[in-house]
Amino acid sequence: MRKNRIVIKVGSAILVENQKVNLVRIEALAQLISELSATYEVILVSSGAVASGFTALELDKKILANKQALAAIGQPLLMQIYAKALQPYGILSAQVLFSGYDLDSRKRTQNARNTMEVLLKNKVLPIINENDVTTTGELMFLGFGDNDQLSAYVTHFFDASLLAILSDIDGYYEENPKENPNAKIRKIVTEISQAELQAEATPNNAFATGGIVTKLKAAQFLLENGREMFLSSGKDLNILKVFLLHSKHSKGTLFTARSLS
């Protein structure tokens, strides 16, 4: 019988700090994946290629060609860091890069599924990212253009039951905690309104595109397809560990369509 399959997504805000790759967090993530692997098949969706490239060569990221060059520099650097962090646990990793065409073609998607099954059967950790070197936002035509929603599609197409997003946002709040320090986290969310999904993006706001809005769109896609999403802090991996291994939900937000009563 196949183990329960999950997808973990980690963003640049967790992996890179002060223009440097946060090795301590990647090592902690590797340890978590090792502990989860006894119970789950794990797929990792990792941002950070462009940010990793920027740590080696400071180019203006506003210029598309520069951004793609940074991704080309940063992707192998990021994979080397993951490989080194996973080595003590005997975990072999594999790089998997997607463009929009890979998830918009029945044949290419099936080819990707076949490869994924071989990797997981042989206990290899797939590390997925958008192919930033050649893509120019074409993933947008599928309804997403970021790794939050890419990870939701990965969860669906590769038959995982749950997506765990590790973020600098530690849950979905009833109100913006930056405006109301007493705002409470919504522990369980079963429905997301159109108003929430269509919230305006504002710069430097964690509750905008690249912040909570893209995560809500990812959650909505999964809810519509009978899957779940758990959003928690990437700075405290014990929250996710306890949730997945001990079914204890003290922090973070679970997006689910099933009744938990």
Side-chain angles (χ1 to χ4, degrees), residues 15-16 20-27 30 48 51-53 55 74-88 93 127:
L15 297 177
V16 179
K20 293 184 179 180
V21 176
N22 193 318
L23 298 178
V24 172
R25 287 192 186 147
I26 289 183
E27 289 167 0
S52 295
T55 66
Q75 192 64 44
L77 293 176
L78 189 61
M79 289 302 298
Q80 287 174 10
I81 293 169
Y82 272 121
K84 185 176 180 180
L86 292 163
Q87 187 176 22
S93 58
I127 302 180

Side-chain angles (χ1 to χ4, degrees), residues 147-196:
N147 273 354
D148 287 330
Q149 292 173 89
L150 170 60
S151 61
Y153 274 66
V154 166
T155 303
H156 175 61
F157 283 123
F158 300 138
D159 197 26
S161 60
L162 178 136
L163 165 63
I165 292 186
L166 296 171
S167 175
D168 55 348
I169 302 170
D170 56 2
Y172 184 31
Y173 286 81
E174 295 176 351
E175 300 176 69
N176 188 335
K178 290 189 175 182
E179 297 175 359
N180 179 7
N182 297 318
K184 296 181 179 180
I185 287 181
R186 302 179 184 181
K187 289 186 66 177
I188 304 290
V189 174
T190 57
E191 294 183 34
I192 306 170
S193 71
Q194 283 302 308
E196 291 170 298

Side-chain angles (χ1 to χ4, degrees), residues 130-141:
E130 182 179 355
N131 190 355
D132 294 319
V133 177
T134 58
T135 57
T136 56
E138 72 233 30
L139 285 174
M140 290 298 289
F141 73 80

